[in-house]
Amino acid sequence: SSSFDVSNWSRLASLWPLLYGTSCCFIEFASLIGSRFDFDRYGLVPRSSPRQADLIVTAGTITMKMAPSLVRLYEQMPEPKYVIAMGACTITGGMFSTDSYSTVRGVDKLIPVDIHLPGCPPKPEAIIDAVTKLRKKIAQESFEERTFRPTRTKYPNLSSPHRFVSIVNTKKYKKKLETQ
Amino acid sequence: MNSRFKHTDPIVVSMGPHHPSMHGVLRLVVVPQGENVIDCKPILGYLHRGMEKIAENRTIVQYLPYVTRWDYLATMFTEAVTVNAPEKLANIQIPERASYIRIIMLELSRVASHLLWLGPFLADIGAQTPFFYIFREREMIYDLFEAATGMRMMHNYFRIGGVAADLPYGWVDKCLDFCQYCLPKIYEYERLITRNPIFLKRVKGVGFISRQEAINWGLSGPCLRASGVQWDLRKIDHYECYDKIDWQIKWQTEGDSLARYLVRIDEMKESINIIQQALKLLPGGPYENLEGRRIAQEKGRMNWNSFNYQFVGKKSSPTVKLPRQEHYVRVEAPKGELGVFLIGDDSVFPWRFKIRPPGFANLQILPQLLKGMKLADIMTILGSIDIIMGEVDR
């Protein structure tokens, strides 16, 4: 274990989300506060002011009118801060990605996102799963990265089951197949 | 002391789109002078997603997932009005079992909506505890919905001609159990809240709407019924099978926030009563008849039991061609009169799909109600009008 395990643990065990929601995903987020899916057991206490929050779960469709407000809220949160893009509307625009003239197609056009959480709306168990994955991600943070966190970087899971396989196209096919 | 405050200029405060109460993204530009509110201007549009324009490029069945995102607390009503519009336009009758299932689902949705109105309303006033209590009941309603439709919130359940799937085995018993459980809980809410002196001080006499004003502003729903007008679309339009069930319109005469609260609590009890009666009167029979009619019409041409189709488990709903007519249908949503004005164009896509949301019309009275009130009354009045920004902005 390293010296930043303690600091990582202290941050992941008490993520305080901003009580933010525009649309239907917020109702699923709010039912996490209820007693059936209790998110206080993960240390999440919802805060109304962005100055006191360190996690923003963008719950609900972001329209072009709401976008500056969201970016301002994100900028008002103090570092270190994390973002969970909740619901299909905030990942790619969701069901409004084809014909809507005012929806922002994905909140990662506005703010850097750590966890994308699919669903329309995602069940509260799925939101808890996203929080768990965010905790695991925070646990792997190191001090050197803290001063420089590039946006829109994908952090692959260290213990991924996929193996890297080289390109299979060897260009040595049988001549018969090529002429057919 | 008083003379110093007489010369303070009024300041303009923007209670911006993000504020701690859970009323969605509504921006109120408030002009207070000290603690009194002089003027208030609501600014909408922070959730405008272009629902009506999207409707012009979708068939009704393709559009059904979108409509639950208007009023996401009472989702069955939005589906009901979207499906009623082509049904009345093309004059499609639905089987009786489907009508009763719709009534049960609509009234469950009404209870769910009023419960989730109650939680944030009291949380804004300062009582945080009922918020946890309502989620207990609302989770049970969600479980019932998930068993019947597959989704907790955004069920894509209603179809033109009936409902998408029949109720699962044992659902009727579970729903009766829920009704027997929920009714004493509503009485518990009344015992805890209604005679609480702090609550009464906050809510009594606040936001008074007179009977004539309520009619002039075009309010609907509990706001109208709390001002003494006995107007309930379920009794006036005689839609679905509400006439076969014995129930009363709940109304009050005072017109303040306390009256609106009492109307909604009484409506919850009446909805439980309607659900219990409808469950006992539920007939057998088909739950949807457009599919059966289409199969009967194509009996000679398509062989649905042949090799190509015999393992197809999912029925595709037939697409209805909307005739070149216009029509306005409405339902009594928990927030008021939710209406859809549909202009068909003799194709599968509507020409114009105009949504009349209850929250949009009810929100217009807010500036007038707030003049002369204290800052703390803003959230009480806004909560008692019961708006949801998904349908106000569409």
Side-chain angles (χ1 to χ4, degrees):
Chain A
S1 65
S2 47
S3 66
F4 21 89
D5 270 354
V6 177
S7 72
N8 284 345
W9 169 78
S10 66
R11 263 178 295 121
L12 67 88
S14 77
L15 282 171
W16 283 5
L18 181 66
L19 195 65
Y20 168 84
T22 38
S23 147
C24 7
C25 277
F26 181 63
I27 308 295
E28 291 289 35
F29 183 67
S31 57
L32 275 180
I33 308 179
S35 44
R36 187 177 181 183
F37 315 99
D38 180 20
F39 70 176
D40 199 5
R41 55 196 162 125
Y42 292 95
L44 272 64
V45 178
R47 309 300 296 168
S48 313
S49 163
R51 302 286 186 195
Q52 300 166 2
D54 54 356
L55 165 68
I56 180 166
V57 180
T58 56
T61 322
I62 304 293
T63 57
M64 293 181 195
K65 191 164 180 179
M66 185 67 193
S69 179
L70 171 66
V71 175
R72 179 65 66 92
L73 278 175
Y74 178 75
E75 287 167 359
Q76 281 179 340
M77 286 164 62
E79 285 278 345
K81 50 193 172 188
Y82 305 98
V83 178
I84 295 183
M86 173 181 170
C89 289
T90 51
I91 301 180
T92 57
M95 56 166 43
F96 303 106
S97 57
T98 39
D99 276 338
S100 169
Y101 46 74
S102 63
T103 313
V104 175
R105 312 290 196 254
V107 82
D108 55 0
K109 290 183 195 281
L110 306 166
I111 54 181
V113 172
D114 290 304
I115 304 271
H116 297 271
L117 169 57
C120 193
K123 286 186 71 161
E125 290 100 328
I127 311 174
I128 293 182
D129 181 52
V131 168
T132 310
K133 291 198 161 71
L134 180 63
R135 286 156 61 108
K136 288 186 187 168
K137 180 179 176 177
I138 298 175
Q140 293 159 9
E141 277 185 3
S142 66
F143 195 69
E144 292 89 21
E145 282 179 15
R146 207 195 278 194
T147 46
F148 173 65
R149 259 180 89 210
T151 62
R152 296 192 192 94
T153 313
K154 293 204 174 5
Y155 294 104
N157 206 348
L158 284 177
S159 61
S160 170
H162 303 297
R163 297 175 292 122
F164 182 69
V165 181
S166 59
I167 295 176
V168 209
N169 185 8
T170 56
K171 295 196 172 68
K172 292 201 207 98
Y173 295 114
K174 283 191 177 170
K175 253 194 155 162
K176 246 164 91 175
L177 284 170
E178 274 178 354
T179 52
Q180 269 177 7
Chain B
M1 198 58 174
N2 252 342
S3 59
R4 259 192 17 220
F5 289 123
K6 260 193 198 137
H7 300 293
T8 40
D9 299 322
I11 56 172
V12 178
V13 173
S14 164
M15 293 178 67
H18 166 77
H19 48 76
S21 66
M22 297 170 207
H23 291 298
V25 278
L26 170 68
R27 181 168 173 220
L28 285 181
V29 178
V30 173
V31 184
Q33 186 170 30
E35 190 77 13
N36 303 320
V37 172
I38 300 178
D39 196 9
C40 143
K41 179 174 153 190
I43 297 178
L44 313 172
Y46 285 92
L47 199 52
H48 179 74
R49 300 168 279 199
M51 290 285 197
E52 296 180 356
K53 187 67 188 170
I54 293 176
E56 294 174 8
N57 287 325
R58 305 275 186 276
T59 68
I60 292 291
V61 168
Q62 283 175 337
Y63 192 59
L64 274 171
Y66 288 87
V67 302
T68 43
R69 275 77 178 173
W70 304 340
D71 180 358
Y72 33 88
L73 299 183
T75 50
M76 294 292 190
F77 290 93
T78 56
E79 293 183 17
V81 71
T82 311
V83 149
N84 275 347
E87 276 177 5
K88 299 257 166 62
L89 208 57
N91 207 8
I92 298 171
Q93 310 294 330
I94 61 170
E96 213 178 319
R97 184 176 170 90
S99 190
Y100 275 96
I101 295 178
R102 281 188 185 180
I103 292 181
I104 296 168
M105 292 298 179
L106 288 177
E107 294 304 318
L108 273 177
S109 209
R110 187 186 307 273
V111 173
S113 172
H114 282 321
L115 279 172
L116 193 48
W117 161 81
L118 186 66
F121 175 58
L122 285 163
D124 291 341
I125 295 180
Q128 307 265 358
T129 316
F131 184 75
F132 296 95
Y133 280 62
I134 53 138
F135 269 114
R136 181 186 55 184
E137 265 84 64
R138 213 177 137 84
E139 290 292 331
M140 291 188 190
I141 300 183
Y142 276 171
D143 282 344
L144 285 173
F145 280 151
E146 193 175 0
T149 72
M151 276 287 284
R152 285 159 52 99
M153 275 175 75
M154 310 307 190
H155 358 270
N156 188 356
Y157 190 52
F158 284 27
R159 294 282 182 271
I160 306 177
V163 289
D166 207 348
L167 302 173
Y169 179 65
W171 196 89
V172 173
D173 300 319
K174 273 293 171 205
C175 199
L176 276 173
D177 286 344
F178 167 72
C179 295
Q180 281 167 1
Y181 170 79
C182 190
L183 200 54
K185 295 295 174 187
I186 300 179
Y187 285 117
E188 182 188 45
Y189 296 146
E190 273 195 313
R191 277 200 310 274
L192 287 173
I193 303 170
T194 312
R195 277 188 288 271
N196 193 335
I198 305 176
F199 174 71
L200 288 176
K201 261 281 174 61
R202 284 298 298 268
V203 156
K204 205 165 187 169
V206 167
F208 171 71
I209 309 176
S210 70
R211 189 174 194 269
Q212 201 53 45
E213 265 180 24
I215 301 176
N216 285 344
W217 278 99
L219 302 182
S220 50
C223 297
L224 186 62
R225 286 196 281 281
S227 297
V229 185
Q230 297 183 44
W231 181 263
D232 193 323
L233 291 174
R234 297 173 280 177
K235 288 271 193 214
I236 289 172
D237 277 347
H238 307 284
Y239 64 88
E240 306 287 349
C241 287
Y242 278 105
D243 293 334
K244 301 204 180 111
I245 299 178
D246 175 31
W247 63 281
Q248 312 299 325
I249 304 178
K250 297 295 177 189
W251 60 291
Q252 303 277 331
T253 45
E254 283 91 40
D256 56 0
S257 299
L258 180 64
R260 292 191 276 274
Y261 161 83
L262 288 172
V263 164
R264 292 192 177 101
I265 295 279
D266 287 338
E267 274 189 6
M268 270 200 270
K269 290 188 261 187
E270 198 65 26
S271 288
I272 301 273
N273 177 28
I274 295 177
I275 298 172
Q276 279 171 326
Q277 288 183 38
L279 283 168
K280 295 203 171 69
L281 290 174
L282 192 63
Y287 54 89
E288 195 247 8
N289 59 5
L290 272 191
E291 175 73 19
R293 280 202 270 172
R294 184 178 73 163
I295 291 183
Q297 278 169 9
E298 299 181 349
K299 218 175 180 57
R301 285 181 281 146
M302 305 271 333
N303 197 354
W304 289 103
N305 291 329
S306 69
F307 171 74
N308 291 325
Y309 293 105
Q310 69 185 30
F311 293 115
V312 171
K314 180 174 164 142
K315 309 173 5 213
S316 56
S317 300
T319 317
V320 172
K321 212 170 183 187
L322 301 167
R324 193 186 282 267
Q325 290 162 23
E326 55 189 43
H327 192 61
Y328 176 72
V329 294
R330 54 189 188 174
V331 290
E332 178 74 27
K335 303 186 165 55
E337 171 183 327
L338 173 64
V340 161
F341 182 69
L342 178 64
I343 302 181
D345 196 33
D346 204 28
S347 77
V348 293
F349 299 145
W351 177 251
R352 173 81 171 109
F353 193 93
K354 160 90 182 106
I355 308 162
R356 187 253 188 229
F360 191 68
N362 290 355
L363 192 55
Q364 295 179 72
I365 201 176
L366 184 69
Q368 176 191 317
L369 284 183
L370 281 182
K371 285 194 171 65
M373 289 284 156
K374 304 283 180 190
L375 266 181
D377 294 330
I378 296 180
M379 298 327 290
T380 312
I381 295 174
L382 183 61
S384 74
I385 298 180
D386 192 12
I387 54 165
I388 187 132
M389 294 314 287
E391 66 177 3
V392 172
D393 281 337
R394 284 160 270 148

